[in-house]
Amino acid sequence: MSGAAPVSDRLPLGMRVRLTPSTARSDGGRTLYGGTPARVLYLLPYAAGLLAHTNEIEVVNRRTGDLARLLVDDGLASPVLSPTLPGVPELADVTVVVPVKDRARPLARLLASLPTELKVVVVDDGSSDGSPADTAQRAGAIVLRHEECRGPAAARNTGLSAVTTPFVAFLDSDVVPRSGWLQTLLVHFADPAVGLVAPRIVALDDLPPEGAAARWLTAYEKARSSLDLGPTPALVVPRGPVSYVPSACLVGRVTAVRDGFDEALRVAEDVDLVWRCVEAGWRVRYEPASEVAHEHRVNTEQWLRRKAFYGTGAALLARRHHGALAPAVMAPWTAVSVAAILCQRRWSIPVAVAASGTAVWRISRRLHRSEHPVRGAARLVPYGLVSAAWQTAGLLTRHWWPAAVIGALVSRRVRRAVIAAAILEGLADWRRVRAEQPLLPYIAAHRLDDLAYGAGLWSGAAKARTLAPLLPDLGLRRQFGGRHPSGSGASKKVTPVAPNL
């Protein structure tokens, strides 16, 4: 368990928060739809008045602070970064911890990119020679050494034990932070409830690839790396739009991460740390305005092995964080609609339409405080269907592909569904990430990515003897929600809607 969050988590005076682009408004701005997980928030007149002509709220008193906290904690709004806020840490308040094994040249590149004000601890995790330690010492870093390789989690923990500043930044040796990366992240700690912040991990551009395979993978990883979580800032919560942040770069309060990484994990130790922080009450944020470049793998065999390795972590996480992991999250009515369409029968479309109509009716009953409940429900249902279709395609091509392949061998309908999912999801994903790579090579790389991850997922589940990382959530498990303080100007009743909306 990570350190408990502070008792007082009031946002500082002067902080502004802005509604996220995905937050929808209706009833003249008195009803908000969106958040993490998806919900409906009814605003009382005071709160609705504050948002009547703008998407932003400034904290000027307790009421505005409570409302801003509610919106931020429910994923309906994001902080507006301002370095002049009270409580923003200085660079001297941060110690950088770098685990390394045998990678002296990338380490030298990283250390040269760091501001001179930072304290740096390099942990040599059983390198075959002394070159990383020599490189770190020449750069003025403190050097700690493991005689034998104990893994990145143990190396980070060794470095953490030597930190005396209130904040720590974990950086992998194969990254290069871009200008202003840390200053941008530190602004988030003006919020006393924020325990961890992570930047966007982008591709390092100054390494010319060697060979056609390297160029092919480099182009794909630049657009679709599993480390790159996209251009939109987000609250990080299990099963949210951004459910984890990678340890390639993590900045946190020492009080939030003092228990360190789980050294028993050689994969997914970063996800485990993030989720433990969330469970302890800390807020974790993803901030793409800060960028750190990463040297992606360009060797095809190494790349596939790494993707499969990532897949094995799902079973380990499922054992430690019950209910936090599912390959798909959808409401029962969306599952019925998608299942009917997958059956490819004459009755498929009528059943899907009937299920969607039932969903509109059921959701409208839950929106009884809205002036136009049916209209609001009718706006929400299509989003649920699109999300369900996207997740189903992911199940067929990524999480469940071994079973899907067997089904395709014996059923023409399954075969059509798998082929359609592989092509249409690839096309949609190519457009979503705006890849510069041509469509066909992108889809081929994307499918290989899914095959490798899925193989690791099934291997890890078999080894752990659990089906948990393979089972979708149809809305019957506990949802992860935000906190709802009273006195915020919002209704105390916050209505969750379908979990995949």
Side-chain angles (χ1 to χ4, degrees), residues 74-85:
D74 283 347
L76 293 160
S78 294
V80 178
L81 300 182
S82 172
T84 61
L85 286 171

Side-chain angles (χ1 to χ4, degrees), residues 11 333 447 477 483:
L11 293 171
W333 64 268
R447 296 283 72 94
R477 300 178 187 172
R483 299 166 65 246

Side-chain angles (χ1 to χ4, degrees), residues 127-375:
S127 294
S128 58
D129 59 39
S131 56
D134 293 341
T135 298
Q137 288 172 346
R138 285 196 298 269
I142 298 171
V143 179
L144 304 176
R145 179 172 171 78
H146 293 166
E147 293 302 322
E148 296 181 354
C149 178
R150 294 167 50 192
R156 295 187 191 103
N157 288 345
T158 297
L160 178 62
S161 66
V163 172
T164 58
T165 54
F167 295 90
V168 59
F170 297 104
L171 287 172
D172 284 353
S173 61
D174 54 357
V175 303
V176 180
R178 292 186 173 172
S179 178
W181 68 284
L182 184 54
Q183 293 89 335
T184 300
L185 297 179
L186 290 177
V187 174
H188 281 283
F189 292 107
D191 179 352
V194 170
L196 275 174
V197 185
R200 184 177 187 180
I201 306 298
V202 298
L204 187 63
D205 293 328
D206 61 353
L207 294 175
E210 299 177 0
R215 289 192 295 271
W216 179 59
L217 287 181
T218 298
Y220 175 75
E221 284 289 285
K222 183 176 181 180
R224 193 57 165 77
S225 169
S226 55
L227 301 179
D228 187 349
L229 303 178
T232 305
L235 177 72
V236 181
V237 293
R239 293 164 52 186
V242 177
S243 61
Y244 72 97
V245 283
S247 56
C249 178
L250 279 176
V251 181
R253 296 182 192 270
V254 171
T255 53
V257 300
R258 61 188 175 194
D259 291 340
F261 295 84
D262 187 339
E263 297 183 15
L265 295 175
R266 289 298 182 105
V267 61
E269 75 282 358
D270 44 8
V271 183
D272 172 70
L273 177 68
V274 167
W275 289 358
R276 282 191 283 119
C277 283
V278 173
E279 291 164 4
W282 292 101
R283 281 60 160 185
V284 180
R285 298 210 61 87
Y286 168 63
E287 182 48 69
S290 169
E291 291 187 347
V292 170
H294 178 264
E295 183 181 339
H296 295 324
R297 284 175 171 79
V298 294
N299 177 280
T300 304
E301 181 180 354
Q302 291 179 359
W303 178 73
L304 290 172
R305 287 181 180 276
R306 194 66 181 177
K307 295 293 184 178
F309 182 60
Y310 289 154
T312 63
L316 303 175
L317 291 171
R319 281 189 163 185
R320 286 166 168 77
H321 305 275
H322 300 290
L325 189 74
V329 181
M330 61 183 74
W333 64 268
T334 54
V336 170
S337 298
V338 170
I341 293 173
L342 288 176
C343 287
Q344 304 169 49
R345 302 286 187 175
R346 291 182 179 179
W347 45 262
S348 293
I349 298 300
V351 168
V353 171
S356 298
T358 302
V360 171
W361 174 72
R362 289 177 61 87
I363 293 176
S364 67
R365 294 186 63 188
R366 303 178 71 178
L367 304 182
H368 58 91
R369 299 182 62 179
S370 172
E371 295 178 7
H372 307 285
V374 176
R375 184 187 305 173

Side-chain angles (χ1 to χ4, degrees), residues 83-123:
T84 61
L85 286 171
V88 175
E90 304 287 340
L91 292 180
D93 295 324
V94 182
T95 299
V96 173
V97 172
V98 183
V100 66
K101 183 178 185 297
D102 297 329
R103 302 188 56 138
R105 292 183 62 184
L107 176 64
R109 181 183 61 197
L110 166 62
L111 297 178
S113 71
L114 297 177
T116 56
E117 303 98 311
L118 292 175
K119 303 177 182 68
V120 181
V121 176
V122 173
V123 182

Side-chain angles (χ1 to χ4, degrees), residues 446-492:
H446 189 33
R447 296 283 72 94
L448 282 175
D449 184 345
D450 288 344
L451 291 174
Y453 179 88
L457 176 65
W458 282 68
S459 173
K463 185 176 181 180
R465 298 183 180 180
T466 177
L467 293 176
L470 299 170
L471 299 178
D473 188 336
L474 301 183
L476 303 178
R477 300 178 187 172
R478 176 176 65 90
Q479 295 187 42
F480 288 79
R483 299 166 65 246
H484 314 297
S486 60
S488 64
S491 166
K492 292 183 183 179

